[in-house]
Amino acid sequence: MDLISIDSLSDDAIAAILDRGEHWFRENRERRPSELLNGKLLFSLFYENSTRTAMSFATAARRLGAADVFFPVEQSSIKKGETFEDTARTLNAMRPDVLVVRHRENGAPAQMAEMMDCPVINAGDGTNEHPTQALLDALALRLKLSRIEGFKVAICGDIRHSRVAHSNAKLLLRLGAEVRLAGPPSLIPEDGTALSVDEAIAGADVVMMLRVQRERLEDELGDAPGEYLRYYGLTPQRLASAAPNAVVMHPGPMNRGVEIADAVADDPERSLILLQVEAGVAVRMACLELLAGA
Ligand code: NCD
């Protein structure tokens, strides 16, 4: 079994990952490691930069007793012109038990999965999907609000380039939430389903802000960060129009003062940003257990 997109997960698999994620969350809080994956080997192959995702897969592997090997693409033979296929065959010959891959091209992890004998986990492919991010966001919501069904979730910002938004929209709908997508006109889907940021946030129970992906944008936004915050960002004033106890999420890395104001990002009651990071280790432990467990 691979974990390439939210669509590739059955309802049972999603429920199992969230249940086991809750279990591992409690274990980690107590710093109680497990030996469940003793002797297993995790490979991480990151063609794009990462802080949270790479660190949390490595942490999850080690908390379960597995060994992890991080493959620094920048220093590898890939820079000498090796093809993606040859890299896959080379890594497969070392017999890892699970491979985590992040790639700038949509579909690369699925292609990798075709060539590997072990399970492959998509750690983010281009603008397509980032399924473990959506799963960790769902776990963070469950931990904080104890349910997801029936909640109104506003996902705001650079929807078009956001694999986080794409995976989250799919998963949240399956878990029974109402999903509202919003952002600047040039960064939202063109099918007419998106709202303005103010419309999306009004009465929302959850406000998830997205990073402006400068590396995937050609200059469409100009460079006036204060302007972005004023028109599309999450300020305390805008958050005041959400439901009374609305919570705030952001997958990180944040552009403070661009898509989110400091006062909102650092609000101890409403910001789930660090809970998301903590849930990330737990959910990745659950994914490794499901894919690489006995
Ligand atoms: C995101 C990513 O890389 O997809 N970060 C993450 O994994 N937490 C979001 C982003 O880059 O904006």
Side-chain angles (χ1 to χ4, degrees), residues 86-144:
D86 282 332
T87 303
R89 286 188 200 104
T90 302
L91 296 179
N92 193 49
M94 296 179 200
R95 303 289 164 211
D97 297 293
V98 56
L99 173 81
V100 174
V101 59
R102 166 170 286 192
H103 204 284
R104 70 186 70 80
E105 274 169 41
N106 296 8
Q111 227 183 310
M112 185 66 82
E114 301 264 299
M115 296 181 282
M116 299 293 295
D117 295 323
C118 70
V120 172
I121 301 179
N122 177 6
D125 61 327
T127 59
N128 183 37
E129 280 222 40
H130 192 352
T132 59
Q133 177 72 40
L135 290 161
L136 78 84
D137 289 337
L139 179 59
L141 284 174
R142 221 164 90 161
L143 289 165
K144 177 75 179 183

Side-chain angles (χ1 to χ4, degrees), residues 208-226:
M208 183 184 292
M209 299 309 294
L210 302 171
R211 186 174 66 88
V212 177
Q213 307 225 346
R214 298 215 167 259
E215 74 276 25
R216 294 186 223 280
L217 282 169
E218 304 288 313
D219 238 11
E220 292 166 60
L221 294 169
D223 41 20

Side-chain angles (χ1 to χ4, degrees), residues 44-234:
S44 284
L45 180 59
F46 278 67
Y47 289 81
E48 258 188 10
N49 298 344
S50 169
T51 310
R52 275 149 285 268
T53 307
M55 281 289 289
S56 86
F57 270 110
T59 304
R62 290 178 182 220
R63 286 273 196 229
L64 291 170
D68 72 292
V69 180
F70 186 79
F71 185 72
V73 171
E74 287 302 314
Q75 294 153 34
S76 71
S77 295
I78 292 163
K79 291 280 159 183
K80 299 181 189 165
E82 181 173 271
T83 66
F84 188 65
E85 288 74 13
D86 282 332
T87 303
R89 286 188 200 104
T90 302
L91 296 179
N92 193 49
M94 296 179 200
R95 303 289 164 211
D97 297 293
V98 56
L99 173 81
V100 174
V101 59
R102 166 170 286 192
H103 204 284
R104 70 186 70 80
E105 274 169 41
N106 296 8
Q111 227 183 310
M112 185 66 82
E114 301 264 299
M115 296 181 282
M116 299 293 295
D117 295 323
C118 70
V120 172
I121 301 179
N122 177 6
D125 61 327
T127 59
N128 183 37
E129 280 222 40
H130 192 352
T132 59
Q133 177 72 40
L135 290 161
L136 78 84
D137 289 337
L139 179 59
L141 284 174
R142 221 164 90 161
L143 289 165
K144 177 75 179 183
L145 307 173
S146 48
R147 69 179 169 97
I148 291 173
E149 202 175 343
F151 281 141
K152 300 181 184 74
V153 183
I155 305 181
C156 304
D158 186 355
I159 306 288
R160 195 144 58 82
H161 297 97
S162 176
R163 53 198 179 207
V164 174
H166 298 146
S167 288
N168 255 304
K170 289 181 181 179
L171 182 62
L172 288 165
L173 282 173
R174 280 178 68 179
L175 296 174
E178 175 192 322
V179 177
R180 304 166 169 183
L181 302 179
S186 64
L187 300 179
I188 52 179
E190 283 152 9
D191 60 8
T193 55
L195 305 171
S196 74
V197 171
D198 288 318
E199 287 168 330
I201 293 176
D205 302 288
V206 179
V207 182
M208 183 184 292
M209 299 309 294
L210 302 171
R211 186 174 66 88
V212 177
Q213 307 225 346
R214 298 215 167 259
E215 74 276 25
R216 294 186 223 280
L217 282 169
E218 304 288 313
D219 238 11
E220 292 166 60
L221 294 169
D223 41 20
E227 292 270 287
Y228 189 94
L229 185 66
R230 188 156 139 236
Y231 291 110
Y232 310 111
L234 190 58

